Amino acid sequence: MSEFQLSQARWTHVALPSGDLQASIDFYTSLTPLVVVERFADADGESVWLSNDNQADSPFVLVLVSFNRDAGSKLGLLTPFAHIGIEVPERGDVDAIADRARAGGFLHWEPMQMPAHVGYICALKDPDGNVVEISHDQKVFTKIREKWGTGARG
Amino acid sequence: VPKLTQPRWTHVAIPCSDLERSIEFYTTVTPLVLVQRNTDENGKGAWLSNPGQVETPFVLVLAEFIGEVGARFGIHDGKVAPTFAPFAHIGIELPERSDVDAVAERARALGSLAWEPTEMAAHIGYICSVTDPDGNTIEFSHNQKVFSTIQELWA
C-alpha cells in the first residue's frame, strides 16, 4: 500500500450523468479551470474525472458518467438553483468568461451584482443543462482560509 | 486577508426543504462539518466542508428558500425534489472496509439506507448508499481511490 492511503473519511467527489461525455469535457476544460484527471470505459459506458489543476492535498473531482443507454440525452440535474460554483480572482474574469460562453451559446445568466455573500456572478449551462456559476467576491475560498488557516497562497 | 489568485471550483450548491434537518443529517452521518450559516431576504443557507480543508477550500452549500423565492426555483410547499438522484451522487470515501458497514448500520437505524453494502467493480470499490432528508444520494465507498489516485498523480 502506498503512502497516499486515505486515513480519514473524506468527501472526495460529486457524480453526474452526461449525455455526451466529449462535449462535457470540452465545455469544462475550455470554460472552467477544471482539467481531466482520468478517463474510464467499460461495457456500460465511459466516464471522466475533472479537478482543479494540481489539487493534491484535498483531492476532489467532478465525476461525469455517460451511460451508453442515455447517449445523446440532456441529463442536467444541477438546475434551476442547484449549481457548480467556480470562483475567479478578478471581477473582469466574470465578464471575460461570460463573453466566451456567450460566443459558444453556453451563457445562462448575464453578469450581475448579487447580495454581498454571493458577489458578482454569471452562470453558464453545460451541454447537459447543469448550471455552472462563475463568481467574484463570493468568498468561499477566503472565508475558509480565514477560519481554518493562515496561509495566503491562492 | 487570504486572497484567491486563480480560478477555482469551490462549491456545489443544492436546495433543501429543512436546513436544520439537513445540517443534522450531514454532521451526524457524514464527515462534513458546519463552516457557517448565511441568512438573507431569500432564505437561509449553510456551508459544509471536510473538517480543516483549508489549502483547497470546497463546500457543500445547502439553501432553504422562503416560499416565493423557492417557487421561482420550482419549489412548491417547501418540498424540494432531490438533486443528486438516482445515479448522481455525493461521494464520500472511507479508510476501512468496515467503515462502510458501520455507516450502513447507522443509516439503517435512521431509516436512510438506500443500498446495502455491495462489492462493485474495481474502480468503484465496496460501497453503500444513503439518502439525505431530501432524497439526495450519498455514496460511501472503500477502495474507490479518488483520493489515492490524485495524491499519487499530483502530491
Side-chain angles (χ1 to χ4, degrees):
Chain A
M1 286 285 131
S2 77
E3 61 190 293
F4 303 118
Q5 275 310 98
L6 180 73
S7 60
Q8 58 178 346
R10 297 196 73 94
W11 181 27
T12 61
H13 61 284
V14 290
L16 294 171
S18 164
D20 182 340
L21 197 67
Q22 192 55 52
S24 297
I25 291 170
D26 291 345
F27 170 87
Y28 283 100
T29 56
S30 59
L31 288 170
T32 82
L34 302 185
V35 299
V36 172
V37 179
E38 296 245 13
R39 290 184 74 148
F40 305 89
D42 63 22
D44 296 326
E46 50 177 343
S47 61
V48 66
W49 291 358
L50 297 161
S51 165
N52 284 323
D53 198 9
N54 252 314
Q55 182 170 326
D57 72 296
S58 300
F60 195 89
V61 304
L62 173 62
V63 179
L64 296 176
V65 180
S66 188
F67 293 107
N68 295 331
R69 62 170 188 266
D70 297 327
S73 306
K74 287 231 173 205
L75 302 174
L77 294 169
L78 299 182
T79 183
F81 164 73
H83 59 267
I84 285 169
I86 307 237
E87 291 185 75
V88 295
E90 306 293 338
R91 187 180 170 96
D93 297 333
V94 175
D95 298 319
I97 291 172
D99 284 344
R100 282 195 287 136
R102 197 183 298 105
F106 294 113
L107 189 64
H108 178 47
W109 294 343
E110 289 285 343
M112 61 180 136
Q113 186 64 49
M114 299 289 281
H117 64 283
V118 181
Y120 184 62
I121 68 167
C122 73
L124 321 183
K125 278 216 167 173
D126 82 3
D128 283 286
N130 292 300
V131 176
V132 178
E133 175 199 76
I134 311 288
S135 65
H136 173 245
D137 236 7
Q138 186 153 137
K139 298 184 177 151
V140 171
F141 182 89
T142 58
K143 281 190 186 137
I144 296 259
R145 283 288 179 93
E146 278 169 16
K147 187 177 169 104
W148 283 340
T150 53
R153 283 194 298 121
Chain B
V1 176
K3 200 169 178 312
L4 182 72
T5 58
Q6 59 181 343
R8 297 198 72 92
W9 181 26
T10 62
H11 60 284
V12 174
I14 59 175
C16 67
S17 309
D18 180 336
L19 186 65
E20 293 312 317
R21 187 178 62 167
S22 291
I23 291 172
E24 172 73 17
F25 170 85
Y26 281 98
T27 57
T28 304
V29 178
T30 82
L32 302 183
V33 298
L34 182 63
V35 177
Q36 71 166 42
R37 297 166 186 268
N38 295 305
T39 303
D40 63 23
E41 68 277 13
N42 295 324
K44 53 187 179 169
W47 294 357
L48 299 166
S49 165
N50 284 321
Q53 183 170 331
V54 65
E55 279 300 312
T56 49
F58 195 90
V59 304
L60 175 64
V61 178
L62 298 174
E64 179 189 337
F65 296 106
I66 59 165
E68 65 261 36
V69 178
R72 292 210 301 271
F73 290 127
I75 299 162
H76 301 290
D77 303 324
K79 291 287 281 182
V80 169
T83 303
F84 288 100
F87 161 75
H89 58 267
I90 287 169
I92 292 176
E93 290 186 74
L94 303 171
E96 305 293 338
R97 185 181 170 96
S98 59
D99 294 334
V100 175
D101 298 320
V103 168
E105 246 175 74
R106 275 192 289 142
R108 198 182 296 111
L110 293 170
S112 54
L113 185 65
W115 289 357
E116 290 285 341
T118 312
E119 187 68 50
M120 302 289 280
H123 64 286
I124 301 176
Y126 184 61
I127 67 168
C128 71
S129 105
V130 172
T131 48
D132 85 358
D134 289 301
N136 291 295
T137 303
I138 323 260
E139 174 199 77
F140 289 89
S141 64
H142 172 246
N143 241 355
Q144 187 153 135
K145 297 183 179 152
V146 171
F147 182 88
S148 61
T149 301
I150 297 250
Q151 288 243 313
E152 277 169 32
L153 194 66
W154 283 335

